[in-house]
Amino acid sequence: MTYEWGGEILERSASGKVILCGEHAVVYGRPAIAVPVSDLRARARVRPAPPGSGLTLVAADLGEEKRLRESPPDNPLAAIARLTLAHLEAPEPDAVLTVLSDLPIAAGLGSGAAVSVAAARALAAYLGSELAPDEVSALAYEVEKLHHGTPSGIDNTVIAWERPVYFIKGEQPETFTIRAPLQLVIANSGLVGSTRQAVARVRRGWETERERYEALFNRIGAIAKAARQAIERGDIHTLAPLLNENHLLLVDLGISLPDLDILVAEAQRAGALGAKLTGGGMGGNIIALVEPTTVAPVTAALQAAGATEVWHTTVG
Ligand code: PMV
């Protein structure tokens, strides 16, 4: 199916993201660091439609098209459209809202939050308003709850601000500066991971072995704190082993998979300074911290090890 935009169109976009460190422990109040991946984006476009037609929602990647008024409450695109209209106290416009995304779904790169942020921004702009980062973040958080149940809010925050964030659940997120750009290679295992299930698995572990899990969360939180200091100093050689250790702690939490461990090991063997799974786990992506000279060998090693997609991005 191809989509012609035609007519007057208005476009807004939102970046993807990766969690550098602290995932899962962040659900239990420890800090985590997420950074935007500005090269991979979700886009939303709005164009006018004939009077009386109401709002039509098109998820182009999924080949889905539906009227807002016929969409169930748990449809994420309908949910963000309804939340945005309610927030702006605006009536449903006669328009077509189309979303398209470079981001793989359910892979830990923030696809759901990026689509929500782009859609809210585009719809608001069509109605003559620009949403501030904290406004659009709050709207996207409501939709994140549909995806994940009890999300920490890190995805919608980093994507709405499109800045590195040091995030503690329930606290005002702190954005911070990356002193020396980080070169990351991101590789998709091709396995679809359910963040909801991964979070539930950690919850079961924590309920049965509370002391061990609390100790793991404490160490992950300490890594996030040290990682922020290293990033602010531009010290990737301190950052890298923290990422490696964070991966092992996620293995201990039970949310890695052999395929993810192989990708991490292959990236390290090919010269990555550090590597770990990113996001919910049990599938999805790994990230590798590299230097300009190791982008090519690490990419090749990850492709040879079975990664279905590999991207290189510079953060900061
Ligand atoms: O799978 P993602 O990228 O949405 O990341 C989830 C991060 C968790 O810490 C596992 C859950 C959360 O809500 O923070």
Side-chain angles (χ1 to χ4, degrees):
M1 207 177 317
T2 58
Y3 289 86
E4 293 296 333
W5 300 111
E8 290 167 55
I9 339 153
L10 193 147
E11 179 175 311
R12 290 290 181 275
S13 70
S15 71
K17 72 97 205 3
V18 289
I19 296 181
L20 273 191
C21 47
E23 53 272 89
H24 286 288
V26 70
V27 175
Y28 297 80
R30 275 53 164 206
I33 294 175
V35 295
V37 178
S38 296
D39 309 337
L40 297 178
R41 307 190 74 82
R43 284 167 233 284
R45 295 171 182 177
V46 185
R47 63 177 161 82
S53 56
L55 186 63
T56 300
L57 306 170
V58 180
D61 303 310
L62 306 175
E64 284 175 13
E65 177 168 335
K66 235 183 170 127
R67 293 277 173 98
L68 176 63
R69 56 182 77 128
E70 288 154 12
S71 302
D74 62 350
N75 175 295
L77 193 51
I80 194 69
R82 290 192 180 108
L83 286 158
T84 306
L85 293 175
H87 178 70
L88 297 173
E89 297 179 7
E92 182 179 335
D94 296 320
V96 179
L97 167 67
T98 302
V99 293
L100 273 174
S101 177
D102 305 330
L103 294 153
I105 294 171
L109 298 186
S111 135
V115 166
S116 293
V117 169
R121 282 182 178 152
L123 190 55
Y126 185 78
L127 297 166
S129 300
E130 295 294 337
L131 297 172
D134 55 345
E135 279 176 289
V136 75
S137 179
L139 296 174
Y141 181 66
E142 292 305 311
V143 184
E144 288 292 284
K145 288 190 202 162
L146 295 177
H147 290 293
H148 298 330
T150 53
S152 63
I154 191 168
D155 281 23
N156 47 285
T157 303
V158 64
I159 288 170
W161 290 91
E162 205 170 334
R163 299 254 347 243
V165 294
Y166 183 77
F167 182 90
I168 299 174
K169 192 175 159 182
E171 291 185 13
Q172 191 63 24
E174 292 174 42
T175 58
F176 67 98
T177 305
I178 294 184
R179 165 72 78 84
L182 303 175
Q183 305 285 332
L184 296 179
V185 173
I186 305 170
N188 193 349
S189 67
L191 302 172
V192 173
S194 158
T195 297
R196 186 189 277 272
Q197 281 173 20
V199 169
R201 186 186 176 96
V202 173
R203 173 76 51 184
R204 285 195 298 276
W206 177 75
E207 276 162 0
T208 48
E209 287 181 273
R210 194 155 299 204
E211 225 169 281
R212 187 167 83 83
Y213 273 67
E214 283 292 327
L216 292 170
F217 297 150
N218 282 341
R219 182 59 201 145
I220 293 172
I223 285 176
K225 207 167 162 196
R228 174 182 177 167
Q229 289 163 359
I231 295 167
E232 285 179 325
R233 286 197 311 271
D235 178 1
I236 55 170
H237 294 282
T238 298
L239 174 63
L242 295 170
L243 302 185
N244 290 332
E245 185 187 350
N246 195 164
H247 180 72
L248 297 176
L249 293 161
L250 290 165
V251 171
D252 285 349
L253 284 182
I255 56 99
S256 191
L257 290 178
D259 291 39
L260 295 169
D261 297 340
I262 289 169
L263 292 179
V264 165
E266 284 299 303
Q268 290 161 337
R269 198 189 49 77
L273 299 170
K276 64 182 279 293
L277 73 81
T278 184
M282 300 185 74
N285 281 267
I286 68 121
I287 51 171
L289 179 65
V290 295
E291 288 171 297
T293 50
T294 47
V295 173
V298 169
T299 300
L302 289 165
Q303 283 164 339
T308 53
E309 287 164 295
V310 182
W311 301 273
H312 166 227
T313 190
T314 305
V315 181

